[in-house]
Amino acid sequence: MLRLFKQHQIRTVSDLSGIWQMNVNHVTGPAYVPSCWEQNPALRTYRGVGTYTKSFTLATEAPIRLVFKGVSHTASVYVDDQLVAEHYNGYTPFDVIVPHLAAGTHELRVTADNRFSEASALHVPNDYYSYGGITRPVALEVLHDVYIARLAFTPSHDASGWHATVAATLTNLTDQQQNGQLSFNLAEITHTVSLSIKAKATTTVTWQADYPTITPWTPEDPQLYALTANWAQGQPVDDLIERIGFRTVRMAGSKLLLNDTAIFLKGFNRHEAFGGFGCAVPLAAMVQDIQTLKDLGANALRTCHYPNDERFLDLCDENGLMVWEENHARGLSLAQMQNPHFDAQAAAGNEAMVTAHYNHPAIIIWGLLNECSDDTEAGAAKYAAQFAQLRALDQSRPLTAATCHHFTARCLALDDIVSTNLYTGWYQDCDTKARLDKELTWIYQETKGDQPVIISEFGASALRGNNDPLGHAKWSEERQADILADNLAVYLNDQRLCGVFVWQFADCRVTEEKWFERRPALNNNKGILDEYRRPKLAYLTVKQAYTTK
Ligand code: ADA
């Protein structure tokens, strides 16, 4: 399944999820797409290049569009042995148009490469795993002369009610001017414009409409609407359907406001990883994660440390979970940020994230550059550039960059919301309340004061099944529960904060390179569930705190 709703009634779309042929490190045979090759016992630790092939048939000659939701981490795409696309970053989608493909059967071949090298600035040995394979769905679309490339919806609200601003981007694939009608439809209002699109050109059309009495999207009642655009030239040619929600996000002093009402984010950090399936989390397991987050009393989720599978974001839209979606970067040192590919790969990733996920009402915050080099002059310049890029791409959502460089970070003033990762009780044995006071004093000095602040990570490691009812030693389930109880008792009762995110929802695999000494069983074990979603004692601790606040 590509999305949780149908995006086209007119355009012909085939979901290429299913069995492909693979050839990965001499292991050949059928493989399911999407999946990671690490799910194959023979490839559990393979890092390298793999090839996947599938054939498809076209009834008539047409331009086709191939959409890859995620190939990890570097992809090359071939149609009938011709290289048609290359892409870097396992967590961002990409597409390619192949014009004039003849009727008949064709071969699609994808190579995926998950090796670490200087060519990869963002996928590096890290406290999560960079898997290999076609890890998110693939779609084959049959296009005509003109297609609707994108619809971007921006809601706003004032004394007269709600307003919609919609931007539609259309591309003319032919070398002649094309004339036609573009119709928008949203919540019973339809609007049609006549358009001429120059040969081989792309054009963007904006439409605005008022909705005085529409029902807004809220966590309690996550109302969604279909936004449709149709392109006709005498007869229907193409369409695009997005699913949107009316809601606003803004800050007032230390408060974060959703639809002008102060909210407190009771959240989890969640890596996209599930037991033997790696980062290609099956849809049923995504649904289980949402059900679990609801059971825990959470209302928010951080997609640490990269953009997520859109099906999961669709589930967040439907279930009223507020999302902090984060760009792809974790703990990069200044030397890593000075990799010659860093700026371009990060900029491409930011653009892909915002462009692809702009319409999700659930996303209320964009995050960037978790725990990177914000304490150096050269690093700070890179922060400033990425903040500026994201602000240009989207003015409707606040930005934040979680820091761990306490008292030395230089970038707090760039944040709309300041986010800090604090591990009292685990990495730092000190009083949580006193430590928070010290942190906030510093944050207010660095900013204009009275700033929205989120504790973006706190937690403790526990090996599931390692119980120590008498001693509560570190690494026991009991000690993890104690630490989370202590932290939550302070943070949930502090009016200066607007949210907390437990580190982390579930255990996740990490790379052996650089991490084996700190991570028993090669997992980051700070989950309140293990990697198969079996709960630890801390599950009930967090549930108790989140459901009674
Ligand atoms: C950091 C980081 C996380 C994780 C965590 C930990 O704050 O942002 O990705 O590594 O620490 O478990 O130590």
Side-chain angles (χ1 to χ4, degrees):
M1 188 185 274
L2 297 166
R3 297 291 298 270
L4 268 62
F5 61 99
K6 220 170 169 241
Q7 286 210 282
H8 303 279
Q9 301 284 0
I10 298 169
R11 191 185 304 175
T12 307
V13 179
S14 310
D15 180 356
L16 298 187
S17 301
I19 300 299
W20 292 44
Q21 292 302 310
M22 79 167 183
N23 183 347
V24 184
N25 200 26
H26 311 295
V27 179
T28 57
Y32 188 76
V33 167
S35 72
C36 304
W37 62 55
E38 289 82 357
Q39 77 166 49
N40 185 316
L43 298 166
R44 177 88 183 122
T45 57
Y46 175 65
R47 192 166 288 288
V49 183
T51 303
Y52 294 79
T53 51
K54 189 169 186 72
S55 55
F56 61 90
T57 303
L58 282 188
T60 49
E61 181 183 317
I64 63 157
R65 178 169 175 251
L66 294 163
V67 184
F68 294 87
K69 304 287 183 149
V71 179
S72 190
H73 57 61
T74 297
S76 301
V77 179
Y78 302 82
V79 174
D80 301 332
D81 286 331
Q82 293 288 314
L83 178 67
V84 295
E86 290 179 298
H87 179 76
Y88 170 74
N89 199 342
Y91 303 116
T92 49
F94 64 99
D95 66 324
V96 58
I97 289 174
V98 184
H100 312 301
L101 204 60
T105 298
H106 301 273
E107 188 195 67
L108 173 60
R109 189 169 87 245
V110 178
T111 66
D113 182 349
N114 72 341
R115 286 173 298 182
F116 299 129
S117 73
E118 194 190 69
S120 168
L122 306 175
H123 286 274
V124 295
N126 221 326
D127 202 7
Y128 60 91
Y129 201 83
S130 279
Y131 292 88
I134 305 177
T135 53
R136 291 179 184 171
V138 183
L140 166 68
E141 303 179 349
V142 179
L143 302 180
H144 297 280
D145 293 348
V146 171
Y147 84 104
I148 304 167
R150 186 176 178 226
L151 274 177
F153 167 81
T154 311
S156 59
H157 187 259
D158 60 21
S160 66
W162 287 94
H163 310 282
T165 301
V166 179
T169 303
L170 288 86
T171 298
N172 176 359
L173 295 169
T174 70
D175 39 24
Q176 282 112 44
Q177 175 171 307
Q178 298 290 335
N179 305 318
Q181 282 75 44
L182 178 68
S183 300
F184 296 97
N185 184 278
L186 173 62
E188 286 165 27
I189 301 182
T190 300
H191 175 75
T192 303
V193 282
S194 293
L195 274 186
S196 295
I197 314 174
K198 292 204 180 77
K200 297 269 183 222
T202 289
T203 187
T204 297
V205 182
T206 303
W207 168 59
Q208 291 185 308
D210 301 328
Y211 291 90
T213 59
I214 202 96
T215 307
W217 185 95
T218 61
E220 301 73 30
D221 180 17
Q223 194 72 48
L224 298 171
Y225 295 89
L227 165 66
T228 304
N230 285 298
W231 172 252
Q233 292 178 272
Q235 55 186 9
V237 174
D238 195 43
D239 68 341
L240 179 58
I241 304 166
E242 289 285 349
R243 210 173 52 170
I244 57 91
F246 287 82
R247 56 108 193 87
T248 56
V249 189
R250 66 183 182 87
M251 285 76 54
S254 62
K255 303 294 176 207
L256 177 61
L257 308 183
L258 184 81
N259 303 334
D260 289 338
T261 303
I263 45 167
F264 190 91
L265 303 175
K266 294 181 283 182
F268 278 92
N269 290 281
R270 173 183 174 272
H271 265 297
E272 213 165 41
F274 196 107
F277 292 109
C279 70
V281 180
L283 185 57
M286 290 185 195
V287 173
Q288 187 190 46
D289 281 357
I290 297 279
Q291 291 164 339
T292 305
L293 288 159
K294 287 280 182 185
D295 182 62
L296 283 159
N299 64 8
L301 179 116
R302 176 177 175 218
T303 72
C304 50
H305 301 297
Y306 37 76
N308 272 21
D309 189 313
E310 272 214 285
R311 297 168 300 166
F312 189 74
L313 299 172
D314 283 344
L315 285 167
C316 292
D317 288 341
E318 288 179 3
N319 286 278
L321 276 169
M322 293 176 278
V323 176
W324 157 343
E325 183 158 75
E326 186 150 288
N327 77 356
H328 183 200
R330 183 213 162 273
L332 301 178
S333 64
L334 181 59
Q336 287 174 315
M337 291 179 89
Q338 287 175 331
N339 173 309
H341 303 288
F342 173 80
D343 292 336
Q345 291 179 346
N350 288 341
E351 182 164 357
M353 172 177 81
V354 177
T355 309
H357 297 168
Y358 187 83
N359 292 327
H360 288 281
I363 299 177
I364 60 160
I365 297 171
W366 298 121
L368 62 157
L369 295 171
N370 172 70
E371 293 193 350
C372 295
S373 182
D374 58 0
D375 56 343
T376 62
E377 198 181 327
K382 290 180 185 286
Y383 269 71
Q386 290 201 31
F387 269 92
Q389 184 202 7
L390 286 166
R391 287 209 166 94
L393 287 165
D394 184 0
Q395 290 90 56
S396 71
R397 291 173 173 96
L399 303 181
T400 192
T403 189
C404 65
H405 294 121
H406 312 291
F407 318 115
T408 56
R410 300 160 176 234
C411 300
L412 300 197
L414 292 169
D415 287 316
D416 296 311
I417 301 168
V418 175
S419 297
T420 181
N421 299 341
L422 276 184
Y423 282 88
T424 63
W426 185 252
Y427 293 124
Q428 301 152 315
D429 278 318
C430 59
D431 179 75
T432 302
K433 172 78 171 70
R435 181 66 189 78
L436 175 65
D437 288 344
K438 199 172 160 197
E439 188 82 359
L440 288 174
T441 303
W442 166 63
I443 289 171
Y444 296 148
Q445 273 163 10
E446 292 291 310
T447 60
K448 57 185 179 339
D450 196 21
Q451 185 83 15
V453 177
I454 289 176
I455 306 299
S456 34
E457 292 181 26
F458 60 102
S461 292
L463 296 167
R464 186 173 181 275
N466 178 35
N467 292 103
D468 184 12
L470 302 181
H472 290 214
K474 277 194 172 173
W475 295 98
S476 68
E477 288 195 40
E478 286 82 359
R479 182 66 158 268
Q480 180 191 38
D482 294 346
I483 292 171
L484 283 167
D486 163 77
N487 278 230
L488 286 165
V490 172
Y491 300 149
L492 293 179
N493 294 303
D494 198 309
Q495 298 299 317
R496 296 169 295 181
L497 303 178
C498 63
V500 293
F501 288 80
V502 170
W503 185 273
Q504 63 174 334
F505 177 67
D507 293 350
C508 68
R509 183 174 174 184
V510 306
T511 57
E512 188 168 312
E513 303 93 321
K514 305 240 165 71
W515 286 89
F516 75 94
E517 289 165 297
R518 279 169 283 173
R519 298 289 180 251
L522 287 178
N523 277 344
N524 183 311
N525 293 303
K526 296 188 188 72
I528 62 151
L529 300 141
D530 76 0
E531 68 272 37
Y532 297 102
R533 286 10 180 204
R534 295 174 301 190
K536 305 179 191 172
L537 280 180
Y539 186 101
L540 291 176
T541 309
V542 180
K543 179 173 176 174
Q544 164 78 12
Y546 276 0
T547 52
T548 53
K549 155 81 183 169

